[in-house]
Amino acid sequence: MPYMLLILEPIGQREARGEAEGRVAYERMQRYAADLQARGLLRGAESLASQRTATRVARACAGGVAQVLDGPFAEAKEMVGGYFLLDCPTREQAVEIALACPAAEWATVEVRELGPCFL
């Protein structure tokens, strides 16, 4: 069963942490991903760049007219900093994996089952 772990970081946390501390955190996350890969549980994982360089595209909120908004986004209190795409048999195992994620020390790790958008 596929599950996604979304890493939800507070805005500004990366800048406050600094490069040296950030590199240590990134290395921990890479080791965590390598362990999941070795256990046959990882489909994919990536870190995302800051939301400062993100762009949002929407039509629904603008009455069908295309709307493009460049970041940073003033209303945002957190950003998706990365993800892990898992393949594990149960939600309970996905939650256990999330609890072991180093990012849970400085961010929220959201566990989501993959599924069609109509459910």
Side-chain angles (χ1 to χ4, degrees):
M1 173 90 38
Y3 290 90
M4 182 167 281
L5 307 184
L6 295 170
I7 311 302
L8 306 173
E9 301 178 29
I11 299 295
Q13 177 176 255
R14 290 181 180 187
E15 292 82 6
R17 178 170 41 212
E19 184 177 342
E21 190 178 340
R23 286 182 180 273
V24 170
Y26 186 68
E27 174 61 30
R28 288 182 64 203
M29 295 295 282
Q30 288 182 312
R31 286 193 309 269
Y32 174 74
D35 177 64
L36 292 173
Q37 181 74 43
R39 293 167 48 199
L41 298 169
L42 187 67
R43 285 189 177 186
E46 290 293 337
S47 177
L48 300 176
S50 168
Q51 52 93 31
R52 284 188 319 240
T53 60
T55 301
R56 291 181 177 172
V57 177
R59 289 189 187 179
C61 300
V65 177
Q67 182 181 35
V68 177
L69 178 64
D70 290 329
F73 309 111
E75 73 281 4
K77 296 200 181 346
E78 60 189 11
M79 69 172 198
V80 179
Y83 71 89
F84 292 86
L85 182 56
L86 306 176
D87 192 7
C88 55
T90 66
R91 177 185 176 280
E92 290 73 25
Q93 184 179 17
V95 170
E96 286 178 26
I97 292 169
L99 285 168
C101 182
E105 297 172 16
W106 63 80
T108 299
V109 180
E110 183 175 322
V111 178
R112 302 269 300 271
E113 183 178 352
L114 274 63
C117 64
F118 56 83
L119 294 178

